[in-house]
Amino acid sequence: MCYSFSASKDQEVCALCVAEKFFSPTRTRREGRYTFPNGYTSFWNDCISSGLRGGILIELAMRGRIYLEPPTMRKKRLLDRKVLLKSDSPTGDVLLDETLKHIKATEPTETVQTWIELLTGETWNPFKLQYQLRNVRERIAKNLVEKGILTTEKQNFLLFDMTTHPVTNTTEKQRLVKKLQDSVLERWVNDPQRMDKRTLALLVLAHSSDVLENVFSSLTDDKYDVAMNRAKDLVELDPEVEGTKHSATEMIWAVLAAFNKS
């Protein structure tokens, strides 16, 4: 979901949903950090929650529903510019449309960073708690269950049962993993402006959610090092510079800038 929510062949299954559900091994290869097995939600990784909201904003921008206000002499920086409504026509996805409704109803308008905070519920203003998107991970998982990519199971943990969503469509999982691996290996272009926009967004969001390492964990040591170094070079580019280049998707770089600042 979240990126893209429609799950068509080149746009499917959201950056962070894929990252969380598909790319998490039992233990990360380089650091030895244990995580839940495939299908469990990583509640302690707060970056994923924020990353999902960033992915929602990127998806809405790519679908032509929102955009950043044009730069002015006073507001040149990506993080100073407000998110504006371009079209309020429904997308057909509940989470996207819920976010779109919030953006339409908000006055004055807010920045990308503020919207990520509002959608995650990280605000001290009690009057703005209404903008929080609740149960996003579970709603995304249920959406993928309906698409036949995940399934639903119950696991018993002594005193309580936990709902899990293991992957059933391993072919789709491997296709997406390979697509990301190829983007920084065989198909590396060393220029984000020449990359597929959704692949670029997927890399940025997976990095921002602290799960990018898991995408490359199945590679050999040599390829792993190359992939991680190239991905690192990519996400360490200056969003302010990249966002102004011809054909750049400003929202991708604005979301990266928001995570870099947080």
Side-chain angles (χ1 to χ4, degrees):
M1 257 189 80
C2 157
Y3 186 76
S4 153
F5 296 73
S6 60
S8 64
K9 272 298 175 187
D10 287 325
Q11 304 176 8
E12 65 279 297
V13 204
C14 163
L16 274 297
C17 191
V18 170
E20 181 179 12
K21 300 298 181 182
F22 292 174
F23 298 157
S24 298
T26 304
R27 182 176 62 184
T28 57
R29 211 174 68 167
R30 292 303 186 275
E31 298 181 7
R33 289 184 289 116
Y34 283 90
T35 63
F36 279 134
N38 219 8
Y40 294 81
T41 301
S42 305
F43 290 106
W44 65 81
N45 187 345
D46 292 336
C47 296
I48 289 179
S49 294
S50 299
L52 285 169
R53 275 68 173 186
I56 288 175
L57 295 177
I58 290 174
E59 183 64 31
L60 285 172
M62 287 188 166
R63 294 195 183 198
R65 300 308 198 279
I66 61 175
Y67 67 102
L68 289 183
E69 66 177 335
T72 64
M73 291 300 295
R74 191 170 60 88
K75 292 184 177 181
K76 286 186 177 181
R77 296 174 63 250
L78 292 170
L79 293 185
D80 293 334
R81 293 154 59 189
K82 303 302 180 85
V83 176
L84 303 181
L85 185 70
K86 186 175 183 179
S87 170
D88 62 352
S89 60
T91 66
D93 179 89
V94 175
L95 283 174
L96 286 179
D97 289 343
E98 188 175 330
T99 303
L100 196 61
K101 180 180 178 181
H102 289 327
I103 293 174
K104 180 181 179 180
T106 301
E107 187 64 40
T109 53
E110 303 286 1
T111 64
V112 168
Q113 186 169 19
T114 299
W115 269 117
I116 292 175
E117 293 170 355
L118 291 176
L119 294 173
T120 55
E122 296 177 357
T123 175
W124 293 102
N125 188 338
F127 297 104
K128 292 192 174 183
L129 289 175
Q130 59 182 314
Y131 297 126
Q132 180 182 4
L133 295 180
R134 300 182 183 277
N135 303 317
V136 170
R137 301 188 202 188
E138 185 64 21
R139 291 159 74 181
I140 288 173
K142 289 180 178 179
N143 183 284
L144 293 177
V145 169
E146 294 176 0
K147 291 177 169 64
I149 295 172
L150 305 181
T151 188
T152 301
E153 295 180 357
K154 291 282 187 179
Q155 293 290 328
N156 181 265
F157 289 88
L158 298 179
L159 299 178
F160 61 92
D161 290 333
M162 177 179 285
T163 301
T164 64
H165 299 285
V167 176
T168 56
N169 191 336
T170 56
T171 300
E172 187 66 6
K173 167 186 172 178
Q174 292 305 319
R175 187 186 74 81
L176 290 170
V177 170
K178 189 175 187 306
K179 180 178 181 180
L180 278 189
Q181 292 175 350
D182 286 348
S183 70
V184 293
L185 292 172
E186 284 78 7
R187 298 181 181 178
W188 178 243
V189 294
N190 198 29
D191 181 1
Q193 307 307 323
R194 295 167 54 199
M195 293 181 67
D196 172 73
K197 301 305 181 186
R198 291 184 177 275
T199 302
L200 173 63
L202 187 57
L203 289 169
V204 166
L205 292 169
H207 159 74
S208 301
S209 300
D210 196 26
V211 293
L212 184 57
E213 178 187 326
N214 296 334
V215 179
F216 307 130
S217 62
S218 62
L219 296 171
T220 63
D221 288 347
D222 289 345
K223 288 187 176 181
Y224 174 90
D225 290 339
V226 171
M228 285 300 295
N229 287 334
R230 288 176 175 174
K232 181 180 178 182
D233 290 342
L234 179 67
V235 298
E236 288 184 349
L237 291 170
D238 186 347
E240 298 295 339
V241 173
E242 298 303 319
T244 61
K245 292 183 178 179
H246 178 67
S247 76
T249 302
E250 287 186 322
M251 192 63 71
I252 295 177
W253 298 107
V255 168
L256 178 59
F259 280 109
N260 286 347
K261 185 177 180 180
S262 62

